[in-house]
Amino acid sequence: MLKRLWALGALVLLAACGGGGGSSSSSGTTTTPPPATLTNLATVTVDQGPPALNTGPDAYTQDNVAYVSVTLCAPGSTTNCQTIDHVQVDTGSVGLRVFASVLNASLLSAMTPQSDTSGNPVGECYQYVDGFVFGSVRAANFQIGGESVANMPVNVMGDSGVYATVPASCSSSGGTNESNVQAFGANGIIGIGTTTTDCGSACASGGGSSAAIYYDCPSSGCSAIIGRASSTTAPFQQLPNPVAAMSVDNNGSVLVLPQAPAAGEATMTGTLYFGIGTQTNNGLGSATVYTATTSSNPSGSGLITAIYKGQALDESYLDSGTSLYLFVDSTIATCTGSGFSGFYCPASPMSLSPTIQGLNGATGSAAFTLNNAQTLFSTSNAVLPGLGANPNVAFPDGAYPNSFAFGLPFFYGRSVFTAIEGRSAGGTVGPYFAF
Amino acid sequence: MAVKLTSAGVLPLVLWVGLVAGAPAANAALGGAYDSVQADRAHFAASLKSTAAATYTVHTLTLQNGGGVKEFARPDGTVFAVSWRGPGRPDLRQLLGGYFDTMQAENGARAGPRHRRPLTVNHPDFVVESGGHSGAFWGLAMLPGTAPSGFSASDLR
């Protein structure tokens, strides 16, 4: 609680390396701080991404990605620390992952490699919809805003040595290896989705996996898949949801982004709040709660229903880590320009009115305006509202899949709450989304 | 995973398939024969349940993580489609066999801004659709030319 009393300016200086919280001295003050000093938050930026992306033969700039900065310190140290910018905010995954290439050598070498029951270091593969990342699992003191988690496991993607070779059982899930900044489009990713850990019970026994696969990594290489316990408190094994592992404000988060002008804009600044209904700045207010599938659902976690043009699509989701709307509607023109395959290119901005329905039966409008992707891409804007694509090139009649994905453009102009499984948040137990 | 097929063509005939030993793991599931279904069952350490429909058989594998894989076979046993659904994306090299490399070639790194878009393939004789987010993935792969007449992609759910 002491952190909450620090003025923001002092926080940057004092808290940068205080992830363990062990070095703070008592001020003797226990009164509730005024709202101006709340520190359960981080500034979010939508911009062109790490400057390193825009160099070299594969130079590009990113769009529709929300970034925050996080601070990591070596366990037990208040000086061997680093603040990492351009870490992607992802409500559709779980766990903090950073690239080895962006970590100072002194910090990387001091981040304790997790070891398994054989005494070998632990590696991790993690799947995204278009590929996978692989690297080590190392503990660090994690800090964002005024929140912190000591000795939290972090997936250090693209780590060297025994982790340089991706296990076959990792790459066999398909898609591209995204284990470098250029391929990934960020210096790291902070997954703050609906589950408490990144694999839950699926990885609890040897050989288990979900989107996360943990490996035994002896000097001969990472091959055997191992079980890792699911815990949101020390001692950790699986990567926890960083929000779930916080000592306070740990029932979810709120991503608040401003409305974007119709034509888009160069950059955008918003706020990520930790906790739901735990402070004066993160209350549900008039938001509607839509409960989602749990990690024990055979189809997976964090799914809700979207009703679109009379069809109930029960594998839909809200995901700040997806940069566009993904849905099937063969009546909307797709782009004809080279390189724009599958993106929607309506002749003029088109108003669409999907309805969201939670497992609790609550319904509400998720209306938005779909814009012409080719027009959006003709600018250098990083904020591209109403960007959408048809993921379904083979069966455009919509026979499959039953999904409407609401990516980051949906979050523009909204406060979107993501509540964590099993945690009571504003009177409702997660998992849920609310807006 | 419960059998979700509810189309009119599905007969209420359920066969429990024993753990037949000795089946060679020669072929991958897609395009392979029944022994390839058994090879997949072993690879995934899954339970297997087979359900006969009017013109095809569905082999449902329930994976250890709670997710499921369905393999759709013609009367002669040839697997003409597979689908998956669950918290993780399964070993598609195992499921797709020789078609895996085709999928990978179609889904290499794209130039320009990175938009996480699902893996897809749209060839006349080989189709992949997929989607989801980390913790809830699904997809299908199909050999349209070998599907029995009357089979619809919606049957793959």
Side-chain angles (χ1 to χ4, degrees):
Chain A
M1 288 304 289
L2 181 62
K3 292 185 194 68
R4 291 180 200 306
L5 302 175
W6 295 347
L8 272 174
L11 179 75
V12 172
L13 296 173
L14 293 177
C17 301
S23 64
S24 18
S25 59
S26 171
S27 69
T29 305
T30 56
T31 52
T32 303
T37 66
L38 291 176
T39 59
N40 61 322
L41 54 91
T43 297
V44 174
T45 305
V46 180
D47 63 16
Q48 295 187 328
L53 296 181
N54 203 15
T55 60
D58 302 321
Y60 70 94
T61 58
Q62 194 56 282
D63 58 62
N64 284 353
V65 176
Y67 297 104
V68 290
S69 291
V70 305
T71 298
L72 295 178
C73 294
S77 174
T78 56
T79 55
N80 190 2
C81 299
Q82 185 181 349
T83 296
I84 301 145
D85 62 17
H86 286 103
V87 174
Q88 182 171 14
V89 178
D90 186 9
T91 64
S93 73
V94 165
L96 178 65
R97 303 166 204 281
V98 296
F99 285 101
S101 62
V102 303
L103 293 174
N104 298 331
S106 61
L107 174 60
L108 177 58
S109 62
M111 287 172 61
T112 320
Q114 251 195 8
S115 59
D116 59 21
T117 54
S118 304
N120 295 321
V122 174
E124 188 186 14
C125 173
Y126 196 72
Q127 300 169 349
Y128 295 98
V129 72
D130 58 349
F132 55 88
V133 294
F134 183 74
S136 63
V137 180
R138 296 168 179 262
N141 288 354
F142 157 72
Q143 189 149 28
I144 184 167
E147 311 281 3
S148 61
V149 182
N151 291 305
M152 188 178 83
V154 177
N155 188 194
V156 179
M157 304 179 286
D159 208 346
S160 57
V162 71
Y163 311 102
T165 303
V166 177
S169 54
C170 174
S171 56
S172 289
S173 63
T176 53
N177 182 356
E178 306 167 12
S179 302
N180 62 79
V181 172
Q182 198 75 13
F184 199 86
N187 288 332
I189 185 166
I190 179 167
I192 54 171
T194 60
T195 60
T196 56
T197 59
D198 71 350
C199 195
S201 59
C203 286
S205 62
S209 69
S210 67
I213 309 173
Y214 286 92
Y215 289 91
D216 173 55
C217 294
S219 57
S220 57
C222 310
S223 176
I225 299 172
I226 54 174
R228 303 299 284 164
S230 173
S231 171
T232 56
T233 56
F236 298 97
Q237 288 197 1
Q238 292 179 24
L239 265 61
N241 182 325
V243 175
M246 293 171 179
S247 56
V248 292
D249 306 317
N250 54 22
N251 57 3
S253 59
V254 197
L255 182 53
V256 181
L257 296 176
Q259 191 75 47
E265 60 186 332
T267 64
M268 170 187 284
T269 300
T271 306
L272 176 63
Y273 295 94
F274 304 107
I276 296 173
T278 60
Q279 307 286 346
T280 54
N281 60 7
N282 59 12
L284 278 170
S286 59
T288 302
V289 169
Y290 307 96
T291 57
T293 59
T294 69
S295 53
S296 61
N297 188 296
S299 293
S301 56
L303 300 174
I304 53 173
T305 296
I307 300 162
Y308 181 66
K309 294 191 172 178
Q311 281 190 299
L313 310 170
D314 62 5
E315 290 171 319
S316 300
Y317 52 95
L318 312 184
D319 179 11
S320 70
T322 294
S323 57
L324 68 176
Y325 294 92
L326 288 169
F327 63 102
V328 174
D329 188 338
S330 59
T331 70
I332 303 175
T334 50
C335 307
T336 54
S338 173
F340 299 107
S341 174
F343 285 100
Y344 285 121
C345 273
S348 58
M350 179 177 278
S351 294
L352 300 177
S353 303
T355 296
I356 285 185
Q357 182 175 336
L359 273 59
N360 56 350
T363 58
S365 170
F368 68 98
T369 300
L370 182 71
N371 288 319
N372 184 301
Q374 219 160 322
T375 304
L376 291 170
F377 288 141
S378 70
T379 71
S380 60
N381 290 333
V383 179
L384 305 179
L387 178 67
N390 186 337
N392 207 349
V393 293
F395 303 118
D397 62 351
Y400 191 99
N402 268 7
S403 177
F404 199 124
F406 297 87
L408 195 70
F410 179 76
F411 291 65
Y412 297 158
R414 288 184 169 92
S415 296
V416 179
F417 299 75
T418 304
I420 296 170
E421 185 168 327
R423 304 282 173 94
S424 181
T428 304
V429 177
Y432 70 74
F433 296 104
F435 60 87
Chain B
M1 180 174 188
V3 174
K4 279 189 169 180
L5 287 176
T6 54
S7 55
V10 178
L11 300 177
L13 171 61
V14 175
L15 305 171
W16 282 96
V17 178
L19 307 182
V20 179
N27 300 318
L30 192 61
Y34 180 70
D35 62 348
S36 73
V37 177
Q38 284 293 353
D40 290 343
R41 184 202 59 73
H43 181 82
F44 292 113
S47 65
L48 171 61
K49 180 180 172 182
S50 298
T51 309
T55 58
Y56 57 92
T57 298
V58 185
H59 303 292
T60 300
L61 300 167
T62 301
L63 309 188
Q64 289 185 315
N65 65 12
V69 167
K70 291 182 181 178
E71 308 197 10
F72 298 78
R74 297 188 314 209
D76 69 1
T78 306
V79 176
F80 62 88
V82 297
S83 68
W84 60 90
R85 173 173 279 100
R89 192 162 55 242
D91 185 335
L92 296 184
R93 187 183 293 279
Q94 171 74 23
L95 274 184
L96 306 185
Y99 294 96
F100 179 79
D101 289 341
T102 304
M103 182 192 76
Q104 291 293 85
E106 291 279 308
N107 292 277
R110 296 181 174 95
R114 180 158 168 277
H115 300 102
R116 281 193 187 131
R117 295 169 67 186
L119 308 174
T120 59
V121 176
N122 188 22
H123 290 182
D125 59 345
F126 174 50
V127 164
V128 173
E129 300 288 6
S130 67
H133 68 90
S134 306
F137 289 118
W138 59 83
L140 68 86
M142 184 173 169
L143 308 175
T146 67
S149 62
F151 185 83
S152 160
S154 60
D155 295 331
L156 288 164
R157 288 206 76 231

PDB file of all heavy atoms in Angstrom, chain B residues 55-56 72 80-81 142 147-156:
ATOM      1  N   THR B  55     -22.640 -40.957 -44.814  1.00  0.00           N
ATOM      2  CA  THR B  55     -21.672 -41.188 -45.892  1.00  0.00           C
ATOM      3  C   THR B  55     -20.227 -41.133 -45.415  1.00  0.00           C
ATOM      4  O   THR B  55     -19.315 -41.134 -46.219  1.00  0.00           O
ATOM      5  CB  THR B  55     -21.858 -40.140 -47.006  1.00  0.00           C
ATOM      6  OG1 THR B  55     -21.693 -38.837 -46.433  1.00  0.00           O
ATOM      7  CG2 THR B  55     -23.234 -40.253 -47.625  1.00  0.00           C
ATOM      8  N   TYR B  56     -20.038 -41.032 -44.113  1.00  0.00           N
ATOM      9  CA  TYR B  56     -18.664 -40.959 -43.607  1.00  0.00           C
ATOM     10  C   TYR B  56     -18.640 -41.358 -42.139  1.00  0.00           C
ATOM     11  O   TYR B  56     -19.699 -41.501 -41.509  1.00  0.00           O
ATOM     12  CB  TYR B  56     -18.093 -39.546 -43.770  1.00  0.00           C
ATOM     13  CG  TYR B  56     -18.918 -38.460 -43.102  1.00  0.00           C
ATOM     14  CD1 TYR B  56     -18.643 -38.069 -41.790  1.00  0.00           C
ATOM     15  CD2 TYR B  56     -19.959 -37.828 -43.775  1.00  0.00           C
ATOM     16  CE1 TYR B  56     -19.383 -37.079 -41.173  1.00  0.00           C
ATOM     17  CE2 TYR B  56     -20.708 -36.841 -43.159  1.00  0.00           C
ATOM     18  CZ  TYR B  56     -20.421 -36.468 -41.862  1.00  0.00           C
ATOM     19  OH  TYR B  56     -21.169 -35.503 -41.249  1.00  0.00           O
ATOM     20  N   PHE B  72     -12.385 -37.176 -40.326  1.00  0.00           N
ATOM     21  CA  PHE B  72     -13.541 -37.567 -41.122  1.00  0.00           C
ATOM     22  C   PHE B  72     -13.073 -38.525 -42.213  1.00  0.00           C
ATOM     23  O   PHE B  72     -12.226 -38.161 -43.032  1.00  0.00           O
ATOM     24  CB  PHE B  72     -14.207 -36.335 -41.726  1.00  0.00           C
ATOM     25  CG  PHE B  72     -14.736 -35.380 -40.680  1.00  0.00           C
ATOM     26  CD1 PHE B  72     -13.877 -34.524 -40.000  1.00  0.00           C
ATOM     27  CD2 PHE B  72     -16.077 -35.355 -40.361  1.00  0.00           C
ATOM     28  CE1 PHE B  72     -14.353 -33.660 -39.023  1.00  0.00           C
ATOM     29  CE2 PHE B  72     -16.568 -34.489 -39.384  1.00  0.00           C
ATOM     30  CZ  PHE B  72     -15.709 -33.644 -38.716  1.00  0.00           C
ATOM     31  N   PHE B  80     -10.514 -37.667 -45.176  1.00  0.00           N
ATOM     32  CA  PHE B  80     -10.578 -36.572 -46.149  1.00  0.00           C
ATOM     33  C   PHE B  80     -10.625 -35.202 -45.471  1.00  0.00           C
ATOM     34  O   PHE B  80     -10.533 -34.170 -46.157  1.00  0.00           O
ATOM     35  CB  PHE B  80     -11.778 -36.746 -47.080  1.00  0.00           C
ATOM     36  CG  PHE B  80     -13.123 -36.715 -46.374  1.00  0.00           C
ATOM     37  CD1 PHE B  80     -13.784 -35.508 -46.168  1.00  0.00           C
ATOM     38  CD2 PHE B  80     -13.709 -37.886 -45.923  1.00  0.00           C
ATOM     39  CE1 PHE B  80     -15.008 -35.471 -45.526  1.00  0.00           C
ATOM     40  CE2 PHE B  80     -14.936 -37.853 -45.272  1.00  0.00           C
ATOM     41  CZ  PHE B  80     -15.587 -36.652 -45.062  1.00  0.00           C
ATOM     42  N   ALA B  81     -10.770 -35.169 -44.145  1.00  0.00           N
ATOM     43  CA  ALA B  81     -10.781 -33.876 -43.448  1.00  0.00           C
ATOM     44  C   ALA B  81     -10.436 -34.102 -41.983  1.00  0.00           C
ATOM     45  O   ALA B  81     -10.684 -35.181 -41.430  1.00  0.00           O
ATOM     46  CB  ALA B  81     -12.145 -33.200 -43.558  1.00  0.00           C
ATOM     47  N   MET B 142      -8.931 -29.850 -45.103  1.00  0.00           N
ATOM     48  CA  MET B 142      -9.830 -30.695 -45.889  1.00  0.00           C
ATOM     49  C   MET B 142      -9.255 -30.913 -47.279  1.00  0.00           C
ATOM     50  O   MET B 142      -8.575 -30.048 -47.823  1.00  0.00           O
ATOM     51  CB  MET B 142     -11.200 -29.988 -45.963  1.00  0.00           C
ATOM     52  CG  MET B 142     -12.291 -30.739 -46.662  1.00  0.00           C
ATOM     53  SD  MET B 142     -13.859 -29.838 -46.458  1.00  0.00           S
ATOM     54  CE  MET B 142     -14.873 -30.726 -47.620  1.00  0.00           C
ATOM     55  N   ALA B 147     -13.872 -35.605 -50.586  1.00  0.00           N
ATOM     56  CA  ALA B 147     -15.001 -35.655 -49.652  1.00  0.00           C
ATOM     57  C   ALA B 147     -16.186 -36.367 -50.302  1.00  0.00           C
ATOM     58  O   ALA B 147     -16.409 -36.227 -51.500  1.00  0.00           O
ATOM     59  CB  ALA B 147     -15.406 -34.248 -49.247  1.00  0.00           C
ATOM     60  N   PRO B 148     -16.940 -37.146 -49.515  1.00  0.00           N
ATOM     61  CA  PRO B 148     -18.124 -37.796 -50.090  1.00  0.00           C
ATOM     62  C   PRO B 148     -19.146 -36.754 -50.523  1.00  0.00           C
ATOM     63  O   PRO B 148     -19.207 -35.657 -49.971  1.00  0.00           O
ATOM     64  CB  PRO B 148     -18.649 -38.659 -48.942  1.00  0.00           C
ATOM     65  CG  PRO B 148     -17.978 -38.182 -47.715  1.00  0.00           C
ATOM     66  CD  PRO B 148     -16.749 -37.447 -48.107  1.00  0.00           C
ATOM     67  N   SER B 149     -19.934 -37.092 -51.517  1.00  0.00           N
ATOM     68  CA  SER B 149     -20.928 -36.143 -52.004  1.00  0.00           C
ATOM     69  C   SER B 149     -21.911 -35.826 -50.881  1.00  0.00           C
ATOM     70  O   SER B 149     -22.245 -36.686 -50.064  1.00  0.00           O
ATOM     71  CB  SER B 149     -21.671 -36.728 -53.202  1.00  0.00           C
ATOM     72  OG  SER B 149     -22.361 -37.899 -52.819  1.00  0.00           O
ATOM     73  N   GLY B 150     -22.335 -34.595 -50.837  1.00  0.00           N
ATOM     74  CA  GLY B 150     -23.268 -34.186 -49.795  1.00  0.00           C
ATOM     75  C   GLY B 150     -22.583 -33.699 -48.536  1.00  0.00           C
ATOM     76  O   GLY B 150     -23.234 -33.182 -47.631  1.00  0.00           O
ATOM     77  N   PHE B 151     -21.252 -33.832 -48.475  1.00  0.00           N
ATOM     78  CA  PHE B 151     -20.550 -33.371 -47.287  1.00  0.00           C
ATOM     79  C   PHE B 151     -20.386 -31.857 -47.345  1.00  0.00           C
ATOM     80  O   PHE B 151     -20.037 -31.286 -48.374  1.00  0.00           O
ATOM     81  CB  PHE B 151     -19.180 -34.035 -47.195  1.00  0.00           C
ATOM     82  CG  PHE B 151     -18.446 -33.698 -45.917  1.00  0.00           C
ATOM     83  CD1 PHE B 151     -18.702 -34.402 -44.759  1.00  0.00           C
ATOM     84  CD2 PHE B 151     -17.533 -32.656 -45.880  1.00  0.00           C
ATOM     85  CE1 PHE B 151     -18.045 -34.083 -43.583  1.00  0.00           C
ATOM     86  CE2 PHE B 151     -16.868 -32.328 -44.713  1.00  0.00           C
ATOM     87  CZ  PHE B 151     -17.130 -33.042 -43.551  1.00  0.00           C
ATOM     88  N   SER B 152     -20.671 -31.196 -46.230  1.00  0.00           N
ATOM     89  CA  SER B 152     -20.550 -29.747 -46.169  1.00  0.00           C
ATOM     90  C   SER B 152     -19.499 -29.359 -45.145  1.00  0.00           C
ATOM     91  O   SER B 152     -19.292 -30.057 -44.145  1.00  0.00           O
ATOM     92  CB  SER B 152     -21.900 -29.132 -45.766  1.00  0.00           C
ATOM     93  OG  SER B 152     -21.700 -27.824 -45.261  1.00  0.00           O
ATOM     94  N   ALA B 153     -18.852 -28.235 -45.403  1.00  0.00           N
ATOM     95  CA  ALA B 153     -17.832 -27.755 -44.458  1.00  0.00           C
ATOM     96  C   ALA B 153     -18.420 -27.546 -43.067  1.00  0.00           C
ATOM     97  O   ALA B 153     -17.720 -27.671 -42.062  1.00  0.00           O
ATOM     98  CB  ALA B 153     -17.222 -26.463 -44.972  1.00  0.00           C
ATOM     99  N   SER B 154     -19.725 -27.237 -43.016  1.00  0.00           N
ATOM    100  CA  SER B 154     -20.325 -27.017 -41.695  1.00  0.00           C
ATOM    101  C   SER B 154     -20.390 -28.302 -40.883  1.00  0.00           C
ATOM    102  O   SER B 154     -20.516 -28.260 -39.660  1.00  0.00           O
ATOM    103  CB  SER B 154     -21.729 -26.412 -41.852  1.00  0.00           C
ATOM    104  OG  SER B 154     -22.540 -27.283 -42.586  1.00  0.00           O
ATOM    105  N   ASP B 155     -20.262 -29.448 -41.568  1.00  0.00           N
ATOM    106  CA  ASP B 155     -20.230 -30.718 -40.843  1.00  0.00           C
ATOM    107  C   ASP B 155     -18.933 -30.886 -40.053  1.00  0.00           C
ATOM    108  O   ASP B 155     -18.824 -31.784 -39.223  1.00  0.00           O
ATOM    109  CB  ASP B 155     -20.372 -31.895 -41.812  1.00  0.00           C
ATOM    110  CG  ASP B 155     -21.730 -31.916 -42.491  1.00  0.00           C
ATOM    111  OD1 ASP B 155     -22.701 -31.420 -41.866  1.00  0.00           O
ATOM    112  OD2 ASP B 155     -21.821 -32.397 -43.627  1.00  0.00           O
ATOM    113  N   LEU B 156     -17.966 -30.042 -40.320  1.00  0.00           N
ATOM    114  CA  LEU B 156     -16.649 -30.195 -39.697  1.00  0.00           C
ATOM    115  C   LEU B 156     -16.591 -29.644 -38.286  1.00  0.00           C
ATOM    116  O   LEU B 156     -15.603 -29.822 -37.591  1.00  0.00           O
ATOM    117  CB  LEU B 156     -15.590 -29.494 -40.546  1.00  0.00           C
ATOM    118  CG  LEU B 156     -15.233 -30.177 -41.858  1.00  0.00           C
ATOM    119  CD1 LEU B 156     -14.498 -29.235 -42.778  1.00  0.00           C
ATOM    120  CD2 LEU B 156     -14.381 -31.411 -41.587  1.00  0.00           C
TER     121      LEU B 156
END
